[in-house]
Amino acid sequence: MRFGAAFWVQRAGWPELREAVVRAEDRGFDSLWIDDHLLSDEGDWHDGKLEGWTTLAAVAGVTTRARLGLMVAANTFRNPGLTAKLATTLDHVSGGRAVLGLGGGWFEREHDAFGIDFGAGFGERLDRLGEAVPLVRRLLDGERVTYKGTWYRFTDAVCEPLPVQSRLPILIGGKGPKKTIPIVARHADLWNAYGTPAELAASDAILRAACDAVGRDEREIERTFNGNVVIRDSREEAERAWTGWRERHRPQAGEDRLNAFGTVDDVAGQLDGYRAAGFGHAVLIFRSPFDLETMDRLPALRAALGD
């Protein structure tokens, strides 16, 4: 398996985050991710939150190997041309390590606070995402784009310099069967979702069908999943530790449970169910104070999984 470390950066300062991302890369995490919100999306929204793209640029400066991305950038926040420029600049300052994570956007309170159009509903926001992603792809690939659509207009737009990578990968987050998964099938290099192994396997079957419908080889899309994972010397100790993060941050419904916990062997067995479902890139979520103890056990976890 491959492993990512995702940092939800509410109630966290840069010195604490810097220590954590350096530790995660040192312990062998393959990818590092920052969430993208303007207000705290867990718990009290008044609490502090670092901005995603600026934070990623800072993370690029203190790391050297791991892939870097937002999990995921809210398409509602930015014009897709600006998004392409941000991803390209990150690719340059990181030496070709950028992944462009994109999603439809969901947190209405931050849109209201900053006067950002939230649209008429989730379906409309996904329609915007569906229009934005191919525009971003064209710009990243070096096209000069003139376009007039429902949501976006470009006139002779270019993204220069081009990314360092010959193909800067795009990750799409979400598993909605009617709109999100078809976007993944057409445009994504990576797909990210939440859920149990059984839930993700069911969504993956929908993705395979969507790929068949558009003539895409589904093996071109890397499957990733987010999970709350705590490794300790016992399951009881891991659950106690998780209770502290849950009470401090109050995660959203559906994201407020442990996906894998306990000893290294416990967690290896639980994660192996995701691998069997075809999801071979586990993205472990970390909240302040960041769980350095779980990070430190990644080498042992890899060994237990036979990697």
Side-chain angles (χ1 to χ4, degrees), residues 53 81-94 96 98 100 136 139-141 159-165 168:
W53 280 109
L82 174 59
T83 297
K85 291 294 292 185
L86 288 164
T88 296
T89 301
L90 177 67
D91 206 41
H92 280 265
V93 300
S94 67
L100 175 54
V136 172
L139 289 167
L140 293 176
D141 290 348
C159 186
E160 291 286 349
L162 292 175
V164 174
Q165 300 174 78
L168 195 157

Side-chain angles (χ1 to χ4, degrees), residues 112-141:
D112 291 343
F114 291 98
I116 299 171
D117 181 18
F118 194 56
F122 191 51
E124 180 184 297
R125 292 192 297 280
L126 290 176
D127 289 340
R128 287 194 223 177
L129 180 66
E131 186 173 318
V133 174
L135 293 170
V136 172
R137 179 78 273 161
R138 291 171 64 188
L139 289 167
L140 293 176
D141 290 348

Side-chain angles (χ1 to χ4, degrees), residues 183-254:
I183 295 171
V184 174
R186 289 191 297 269
H187 303 296
D189 302 287
L190 300 92
W191 173 38
N192 178 264
Y194 281 94
T196 65
E199 290 167 343
L200 293 181
S203 293
D204 190 65
I206 297 171
L207 175 61
R208 290 168 183 262
C211 287
D212 285 343
V214 297
R216 178 109 187 260
D217 184 347
E218 54 86 14
R219 293 173 296 181
E220 296 175 359
I221 303 170
E222 182 178 358
R223 275 69 157 178
T224 77
F225 68 95
N226 291 348
N228 296 311
V229 177
V230 179
I231 305 176
R232 293 294 187 272
D233 291 332
S234 69
R235 293 171 68 90
E236 294 75 20
E237 187 179 350
E239 287 183 297
R240 284 195 299 271
W242 166 246
T243 297
W245 284 295
R246 188 182 63 227
E247 292 179 350
R248 171 175 166 80
H249 293 282
R250 302 198 301 278
Q252 302 289 324

Side-chain angles (χ1 to χ4, degrees), residues 142-172:
E143 289 190 38
R144 185 180 298 270
V145 180
T146 295
Y147 175 85
K148 182 177 180 180
T150 303
W151 306 106
Y152 306 110
R153 296 184 181 185
F154 289 170
T155 303
D156 218 20
V158 295
C159 186
E160 291 286 349
L162 292 175
V164 174
Q165 300 174 78
S166 59
R167 180 179 175 88
L168 195 157
I170 293 176
L171 175 149
I172 301 294

